[in-house]
Amino acid sequence: MRKLYLYGILLCVMISWGLNIVAIKVLVANFPPFTITALRILTAGLVIFLFLRIKRDIQKVKLHEFGYVTLSALTGIFGHQAFLSVGLLHTSATNGASILALIPLVTNLLAVIFLKAKLTLLKLSGVVLGLMGIYFILVHGSDGGSFTKLSIGDIYVFLSVIAQALSFIFIRKASYTLNTKTITCYSLLMGASFLFILSLALEHQTISTITNGPSYAWIIFIASAIISTGFGNLFYNYAIQQIGPGETAVFLNLSPFFSLIGSVLFLNEQFKLVQLFGFILIVVGVLLGTGIFERKQQREKRVSVPVAK
């Protein structure tokens, strides 16, 4: 029963994260992208900070930990959110969601490079399937039908995937001595500061127009900042502590699915059959590439009971 409760929480988080791609698409279309992203991340960071302060569950960051937290803010918040915001200006939410589904796969590849994780044949086959899925979505799913017709937005979204995956490496390093809630909180606040600097440099002439956005967009902003980015991260971290990162990470594959549904229902975007096939390849590739089936086999070996012959 306890696990069912946690699974329910994770399902709600994945729905909110999936629909958040649709929300970001709406926000960057109605506001200066870097400015509204900085405000959204700052709001989420403040909500988490106040929540953790009330619960007295926030740690002090030591000097040697500060570097990893800063790097996670530069990659996972500043880099990821900046590339994603610009990318969704120039590509569809369906393409964006499908590309973002590669995050677990790219994270595991970087873990092989930087954390000396083992690259097995099963994981390598997952990488190949993931790349094939991207090929079907971006090439055969595009109107041009070739790499020369790829949207610049697709490239930006893929760069956001690399930035997010890099941040997980730095978070892993910092988590040896800091809890993930503290890392998330300070990364959000620092990342928002970096985004504000970028918005002042590139959007200083349009910042004054941010108050002219439609009322429905501000409602979406509040829901995105507080529910998806703020409490979504808190609940996800809570689930990690309860059932472990491996089992929790399986649910990440549901987030792009809800993004695709949301983009079709709320943005009236078209989703071709070939793109659905590519998306399925990505999900299967992620499941193989992250070693989920290998961990399951290892658990089964550990609990197997020898039978007397």
Side-chain angles (χ1 to χ4, degrees):
M1 185 63 68
R2 176 69 174 174
K3 272 199 171 184
L4 287 177
Y5 169 72
L6 292 170
Y7 290 163
I9 289 178
L10 283 170
L11 179 62
C12 291
V13 171
M14 292 307 113
I15 293 173
S16 72
W17 282 1
L19 295 180
N20 198 38
I21 300 300
V22 179
I24 294 172
K25 177 74 175 177
V26 173
L27 291 175
V28 298
N30 286 278
F31 301 103
F34 297 128
T35 305
I36 197 64
T37 301
L39 283 173
R40 180 171 60 84
I41 298 301
L42 178 63
T43 302
L46 290 175
V47 167
I48 292 180
F49 179 78
L50 291 173
F51 183 81
L52 294 179
R53 285 286 292 181
I54 292 171
K55 291 191 66 178
R56 297 181 179 179
D57 196 18
I58 192 166
Q59 294 177 267
K60 291 183 178 179
V61 180
K62 298 177 181 178
L63 185 60
H64 72 278
E65 300 163 337
F66 183 78
Y68 287 126
V69 175
T70 302
L71 288 171
S72 70
L74 280 170
T75 52
I77 305 301
F78 176 71
H80 173 68
Q81 295 293 338
F83 283 130
L84 181 60
S85 297
V86 176
L88 288 176
L89 272 176
H90 302 287
T91 191
S92 64
T94 54
N95 272 24
S98 300
I99 298 170
L100 288 172
L102 287 171
I103 288 178
L105 197 61
V106 176
T107 301
N108 274 269
L109 280 177
L110 293 180
V112 171
I113 298 172
F114 296 107
L115 299 179
K116 297 181 180 179
K118 186 179 180 181
L119 180 63
T120 64
L121 183 60
L122 204 59
K123 289 182 179 181
L124 186 60
S125 65
V127 173
V128 174
L129 284 177
L131 293 176
M132 287 175 59
I134 285 295
Y135 172 77
F136 278 106
I137 289 171
L138 301 186
V139 177
H140 289 285
S142 66
D143 295 330
S146 68
F147 277 112
T148 58
K149 298 294 183 181
L150 287 182
S151 166
I152 186 66
D154 295 329
I155 297 173
Y156 278 125
V157 175
F158 184 70
L159 289 175
S160 79
V161 168
I162 296 176
Q164 182 73 85
L166 277 172
S167 75
F168 291 146
I169 303 299
F170 299 128
I171 289 172
R172 174 64 175 167
K173 294 283 189 178
S175 65
Y176 290 130
T177 52
L178 283 175
N179 64 48
T180 54
K181 289 175 284 188
T182 299
I183 299 169
T184 301
C185 177
Y186 285 125
S187 293
L188 286 170
L189 293 175
M190 292 173 65
S193 301
F194 299 143
L195 285 166
F196 270 120
I197 294 172
L198 182 64
S199 67
L200 287 172
L202 300 180
E203 299 174 345
H204 63 280
Q205 294 180 339
T206 58
I207 289 178
S208 58
T209 65
I210 199 168
T211 56
N212 299 329
S215 56
Y216 74 86
W218 282 110
I219 295 173
I220 291 174
F221 169 83
I222 294 171
S224 172
I226 297 177
I227 298 176
S228 297
T229 308
F231 283 103
N233 279 288
L234 278 178
F235 288 140
Y236 186 78
N237 288 333
Y238 173 74
I240 288 177
Q241 289 181 335
Q242 298 298 315
I243 61 177
E247 195 169 347
T248 307
V250 177
F251 283 83
L252 288 173
N253 298 296
L254 293 175
S255 179
F257 174 72
F258 291 117
S259 295
L260 297 175
I261 293 177
S263 61
V264 173
L265 292 179
F266 301 115
L267 300 178
N268 295 319
E269 292 186 358
Q270 298 296 318
F271 193 61
K272 300 176 183 178
L273 187 62
V274 67
Q275 290 175 302
L276 177 61
F277 178 67
F279 178 72
I280 293 173
L281 284 179
I282 289 175
V283 173
V284 175
V286 167
L287 291 174
L288 293 174
T290 52
I292 290 172
F293 295 122
E294 290 176 341
R295 287 196 294 267
K296 183 179 179 181
Q297 291 172 358
Q298 289 170 359
R299 287 197 300 268
E300 289 174 349
K301 287 179 181 179
R302 286 198 297 266
V303 298
S304 61
V305 179
V307 179
K309 294 183 180 179

